[in-house]
């Protein structure tokens, strides 16, 4: 479904009860006008044309509408009366990006200017999908929707120095200041950017607007709105702040209004208490935020101050970005299993997430998110562990764990557009060391026949000595390469207590030049008659081997029962 909105002069003899639209696939249709809205206090009206079209399949389509004539005498378009008027929209149909609704403009394009007075405009672009928006000025389009030959931006028309620009993030257009009386045509494009599952942003469409600025002779000064900072709150927070505006001319009064996405949401929309017109005014923005407002892109609110100057009321705009973030999942726990760690958590107050992200590090960090700091930042040393799909799936088993190592976790909620919640509290656990753990396996001397390896291991300090009594004994095994440590090379003495003093061995008479060796240690109880458990294999690694090398590097692995 498509809508075309135009603004025309009501008293003009040229009227368009229907418009032709080109669908970008080689076909076109004539759309009927379905609505006329007269704009109070002006000789102007808003026209709505609507229609639908079925595309044959995925693709990128440029939809366009062309009207035969512009006004006569436009200063920045040569022979403007014979130059067609064209606006375009890019539609992307792709299974990668999903469905899309185009940007809508909440603010009227009808806004005149005073010569040598600051002119400011914001279109009030709103995207119901929550896509990120960017703005750019473009030349006006003419015949065949091509760029008009010789088009000039308003500040390129020969005149005393002035600047004309558009903020790429807020969409605010500033002309500082118009110098020549007359009509100007401008155009701009608003692009939509969507974050895909791989974290990259993809352009999913754009919309253009073509508008006219009429500069008139008048003595007026632009209102001033006090600067407002961007803000961020956690969903469920009631947000309220004041908006102040004034006019340099004490005889002028200001009407302060607001527009933007927060007023368009169906669930708990924002409100703006607009004060009665006066020279100095204060309005109040308020929004009872909830989980349905959580999204990756900030919400944009535009405040407009308009004076009552004659013949041209001047306007100014202030834009505020409001970010709504989700609170974290609650009450996370981690429970050791036989060879794994079982994680559990609760969704928290927001149930509209699509899944969760799990992060892990060795040892605690003590991370507490700063205000509105979502996700788990890399500076904490946490690394992404796994994604869990589905809001109801609140468990995860971490099988890639080592005995005797403390693992700490944090979990966040993820939403459909890629937004991530605040991180949960840090929660930690480790598997008990009920078996020995090799902590050191290295080459001490590199030689073809007189090489030496050093092996060290820990006691099984978490072993239940009531069910597995001593005396205790270690047996060390070696193998060539990285697997198969089955040759017994050392048997310790018997020791009555678990903290056995014999936890190191130097293996001599080896060929440590041509290859590594693998080691494994077993723990026996009951006077050396009962096998309690075995470490994981740990291998030496030869990093360099020159005739004079003595010390090389080491690696070690952890153990499982």
């Amino acid at each position: 479904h498509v809508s075309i909105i135009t603004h025309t002069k009501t008293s003009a003899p040229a009227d368009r009860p229907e418009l032709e639209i080109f669908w970008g696939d080689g076909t076109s249709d004539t759309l009927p006008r379905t609505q006329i809205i007269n704009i109070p206090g002006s000789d102007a009206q808003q026209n709505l044309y609507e229609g639908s079209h079925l595309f044959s399949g995925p693709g990128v389509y440029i939809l366009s509408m062309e009207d035969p004539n512009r006004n006569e005498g436009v200063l920045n378009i040569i022979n403007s009366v014979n130059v067609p008027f064209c606006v375009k929209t890019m539609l992307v149909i792709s299974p990668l990006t999903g469905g899309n609704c185009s940007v809508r403009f909440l603010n009227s394009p009808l806004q005149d200017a005073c010569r040598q007075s600051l002119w400011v405009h914001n279109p009030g672009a709103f995207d119901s999908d929550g896509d990120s928006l960017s703005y750019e000025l473009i030349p006006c389009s003419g015949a065949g929707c091509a760029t008009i030959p010789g088009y000039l931006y308003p500040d390129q028309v020969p005149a005393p120095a002035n600047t004309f620009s558009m903020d790429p993030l807020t969409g605010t257009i500033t002309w500082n200041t118009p110098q020549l009386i007359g009509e100007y045509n401008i155009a701009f494009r608003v692009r939509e950017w969507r974050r895909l599952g791989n974290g990259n942003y993809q352009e999913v469409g754009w919309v253009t607007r073509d508008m006219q600025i009429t500069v008139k002779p008048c003595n007026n000064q632009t209102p001033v709105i006090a600067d407002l900072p961007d803000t961020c709150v956690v969903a469920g927070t009631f947000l309220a702040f004041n908006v102040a505006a004034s006019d340099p001319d004490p005889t002028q009064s200001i009407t302060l209004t607001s527009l933007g996405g927060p007023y368009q949401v169906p669930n708990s929309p924002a409100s703006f208490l607009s004060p009665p017109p006066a020279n100095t005014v204060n309005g109040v923005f308020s929004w009872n935020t909830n989980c349905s407002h959580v999204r990756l892109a900030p919400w944009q609110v535009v405040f407009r101050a308009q004076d009552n100057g004659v013949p041209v009321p001047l306007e100014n705009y202030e834009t505020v970005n409001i970010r709504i973030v989700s609170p974290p999942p609650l009450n996370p726990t981690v429970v050791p299993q036989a060879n794994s760690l079982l994680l559990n958590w609760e969704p928290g107050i927001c149930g509209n997430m699509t899944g969760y992200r799990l992060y892990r590090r060795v040892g605690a960090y003590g991370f507490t998110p700063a205000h509105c700091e979502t996700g788990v930042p890399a500076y904490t040393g946490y690394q992404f562990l796994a994604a869990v799909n589905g809001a109801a799936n609140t468990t995860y088993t971490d099988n890639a764990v080592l005995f005797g190592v403390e693992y700490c976790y944090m979990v966040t909620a993820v939403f459909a557009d890629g937004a991530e919640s605040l991180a949960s509290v840090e929660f930690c656990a480790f598997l008990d060391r009920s078996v020995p753990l090799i902590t050191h396996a290295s080459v001490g001397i590199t030689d073809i026949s007189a090489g030496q390896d050093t092996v060290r291991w820990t006691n099984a300090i978490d072993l239940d000595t009531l069910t597995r009594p001593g005396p205790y004994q270690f047996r060390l095994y070696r193998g060539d390469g990285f697997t198969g440590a089955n040759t017994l090379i050392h048997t310790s003495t018997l020791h009555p207590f678990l903290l056995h003093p014999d936890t190191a061995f130097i293996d001599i008479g080896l060929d440590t030049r041509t290859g590594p060796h693998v080691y494994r240690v077993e723990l026996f109880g009951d006077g050396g008659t009962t096998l309690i458990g075995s470490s994981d294999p740990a291998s030496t690694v030869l990093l360099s081997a020159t005739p004079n090398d003595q010390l090389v590097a080491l690696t070690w692995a952890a153990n499982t029962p």
Side-chain angles (χ1 to χ4, degrees), residues 17-40:
E18 56 189 25
L19 288 175
E20 185 177 13
I21 184 172
F22 298 88
W23 298 107
D25 59 359
T27 66
S28 67
D29 282 312
T30 299
L31 304 186
R33 180 167 54 192
T34 59
Q35 187 182 54
I36 297 176
I37 299 177
N38 293 312
I39 299 174

Side-chain angles (χ1 to χ4, degrees), residues 2 13 32 41 47 55 68 77 109 126-127 145 150 206 282-283 299 377 403 529 555-556:
V2 68
N47 309 283
F55 289 89
I77 296 177
F126 167 63
D127 185 271
C145 281
W206 48 254
N282 286 276
W299 297 87
F403 281 87
T529 60
T555 62
W556 58 86

Side-chain angles (χ1 to χ4, degrees), residues 403 431-436 460-464 468 523 532-533 561:
F403 281 87
L431 292 182
D432 292 343
R433 280 191 293 176
S434 57
V435 293
I461 59 176
D462 298 312
L463 181 67
D464 184 352
R468 300 292 180 91
L523 175 63
I532 293 174

